Amino acid sequence: MTKNEADDKIFKALSSPMRRDLLDALRDNPQTTGELCAHFADLNRCTVMQHLGVLEAAGLVVARRIGRQRWNYLNAIPIKRIHDRWIGAYAAEAVNLLDRMKTDLEGEPAETGRPTVS
Amino acid sequence: MTKNEADDKIFKALSSPMRRDLLDALRDNPQTTGELCAHFADLNRCTVMQHLGVLEAAGLVVARRIGRQRWNYLNAIPIKRIHDRWIGAYAAEAVNLLDRMKTDLEGEPAETGRPTVS
């Protein structure tokens, strides 16, 4: 798989709101597939597992089987590499400052919190 | 536009290798549309402008007209917010360390450089 193909998979995986919600749910702690299905109770188990499969194929989720349970972990490295590709260490401080200024001027909270999952 | 719709636009814009190459070309300096077309000489001007339009609609490129020239700037804030959504200040150092370890163990250069544009 070339770097472009790998990146295609990452951005296509992230282009679904449902899959972004799944990553939000895994951000603070790994979860079993059963826990994720309970968390997204309005979706059937098959749909949740399909989305997890896309995230896993893109390298955004890593799964580990322990006993009868499948634990799903967020893999943050592809996300970090997106950041480093277009921002990098040199510019990160300037972008942070700019983002804080934008937020202050617009009077909006920074969009860094976990969005509400319906 | 809801936050989900805005994010959909961002990730769909990033899911094209050509548009990622355009952002790479803008990473270090803003460029005029003419300069970008010269840089991607294997594409016709219309195609380059269409891709720029998608990036602009997603907020990843900001354009400013000065005289007869249209200058295109990379807007790094959406990229920073992707990072903050799933990594955040608390975990950033740990992820940096993990990425360096992975790179050292695999003997690969970190994938942070600008990819070659054919």
Side-chain angles (χ1 to χ4, degrees), chain A residues 4-70:
Chain A
N4 259 343
E5 286 165 350
D7 286 347
D8 284 352
K9 280 197 177 185
I10 290 168
F11 291 113
K12 277 170 193 158
L14 290 171
S15 71
S16 145
M18 174 61 214
R19 289 194 288 267
R20 294 195 299 269
D21 286 347
L22 270 169
L23 290 185
D24 288 336
L26 294 175
R27 193 183 54 179
D28 297 321
N29 296 298
Q31 293 200 44
T32 65
T33 303
E35 283 169 339
L36 285 173
C37 291
H39 189 83
F40 296 95
D42 50 334
L43 297 173
N44 68 50
R45 189 178 175 88
C46 234
T47 305
V48 173
M49 291 186 70
Q50 273 173 356
H51 284 305
L52 276 175
V54 175
L55 290 167
E56 197 178 352
L60 289 161
V61 162
V62 175
R64 175 158 299 173
R65 185 164 282 285
I66 301 177
R68 293 180 57 186
Q69 287 184 316
R70 185 179 183 277

Side-chain angles (χ1 to χ4, degrees), chain B residues 42-96:
Chain B
D42 51 333
L43 297 173
N44 68 50
R45 189 179 173 89
C46 233
T47 306
V48 173
M49 290 185 69
Q50 271 172 358
H51 284 305
L52 276 175
V54 175
L55 290 167
E56 198 178 350
L60 290 160
V61 163
V62 175
R64 176 158 301 175
R65 185 165 283 283
I66 302 178
R68 294 181 55 185
Q69 288 184 315
R70 187 180 182 277
W71 284 87
N72 301 279
Y73 298 77
L74 169 66
N75 179 21
I77 289 182
I79 309 278
K80 177 191 171 284
R81 289 183 177 175
I82 295 170
H83 176 272
D84 291 352
R85 177 168 179 175
W86 287 300
I87 301 187
Y90 176 70
E93 223 9 82
V95 176
N96 271 328

Side-chain angles (χ1 to χ4, degrees), chain A residues 44-100:
Chain A
N44 68 50
R45 189 178 175 88
C46 234
T47 305
V48 173
M49 291 186 70
Q50 273 173 356
H51 284 305
L52 276 175
V54 175
L55 290 167
E56 197 178 352
L60 289 161
V61 162
V62 175
R64 175 158 299 173
R65 185 164 282 285
I66 301 177
R68 293 180 57 186
Q69 287 184 316
R70 185 179 183 277
W71 285 87
N72 302 280
Y73 298 76
L74 168 66
N75 178 22
I77 289 183
I79 309 277
K80 176 190 172 288
R81 288 183 177 174
I82 294 170
H83 177 270
D84 291 352
R85 177 168 179 176
W86 288 300
I87 302 188
Y90 175 70
E93 224 8 82
V95 175
N96 271 328
L97 177 66
L98 205 62
D99 191 26
R100 282 201 303 275

